Amino acid sequence: MLSEFISKEKSIEELEGHRWPEPTGNSTSLVRGVHELRRRAVKDLSAEDLRRLVGQDIGLQWLLPVALDFLRATAPQEAETGWYDDDLLSAVLTRNAETWRNAPELARHLNETVNMLTDLSPYIREEVEAFRSALSDVL
């Protein structure tokens, strides 16, 4: 598992060693939600929580391995049930190329996971192609 060395009992806030100030009263629900999720233990984050944080480029150092482990663990079920968490996969695939260049082993792991999937939606296929095109030298 990629995330075996991450202290999942800790929150992103604890792992970073940085507490964000409270959101202002006129903050959006996204901002308030992200602040709350940063305080939650990593082990208590759902796939949707991971998608929200990864999609906002928050805690990627810790959350990408967790998200990739989740995606890999659920990939075999996709072939059986035809269901896959496309939202989390999309959030992971669409991180900027520099994120993946800084962690090429994670990029290769994601590429291998995508290879296991059999029934990707057209928009996810486009994201896979963009990911592979941008990182062809790493994969």
Side-chain angles (χ1 to χ4, degrees):
M1 287 182 57
L2 296 171
S3 65
E4 65 185 318
F5 299 106
I6 295 170
S7 299
K8 295 181 197 77
E9 299 292 324
K10 293 183 177 183
S11 67
I12 293 300
E13 205 167 76
E14 292 169 316
L15 292 166
E16 288 178 348
H18 177 69
R19 183 177 172 93
W20 286 1
E22 289 298 318
T24 62
N26 63 348
S27 296
T28 65
S29 60
L30 174 63
V31 170
R32 289 188 306 274
V34 165
H35 275 73
E36 189 275 322
L37 291 174
R38 285 187 80 252
R39 295 185 195 112
R40 192 177 297 171
V42 170
K43 70 178 180 65
D44 295 331
L45 296 172
S46 68
E48 175 60 21
D49 298 335
L50 288 171
R51 181 212 51 87
R52 180 176 269 186
L53 291 167
V54 168
Q56 295 296 313
D57 291 320
I58 295 171
L60 294 182
Q61 175 181 353
W62 299 280
L63 296 182
L64 280 178
V66 172
L68 293 175
D69 283 347
F70 174 83
L71 292 169
R72 177 67 64 96
T74 57
Q77 297 168 352
E78 184 269 342
E80 292 176 24
T81 64
W83 179 86
Y84 198 70
D85 192 330
D86 286 349
D87 292 338
L88 179 57
L89 179 58
S90 179
V92 169
L93 282 167
T94 57
R95 295 309 86 214
N96 71 48
E98 196 59 31
T99 297
W100 297 112
R101 288 191 187 291
N102 290 331
E105 70 285 354
L106 297 181
R108 288 188 288 275
H109 189 274
L110 175 56
N111 191 51
E112 291 168 7
T113 300
V114 170
N115 285 336
M116 298 169 67
L117 304 175
T118 58
D119 191 24
L120 294 174
S121 68
Y123 79 91
I124 292 289
R125 273 183 280 183
E126 289 175 15
E127 292 173 348
V128 168
E129 289 170 18
F131 168 80
R132 287 177 172 160
S133 176
L135 297 164
S136 61
D137 59 320
V138 173
L139 301 176

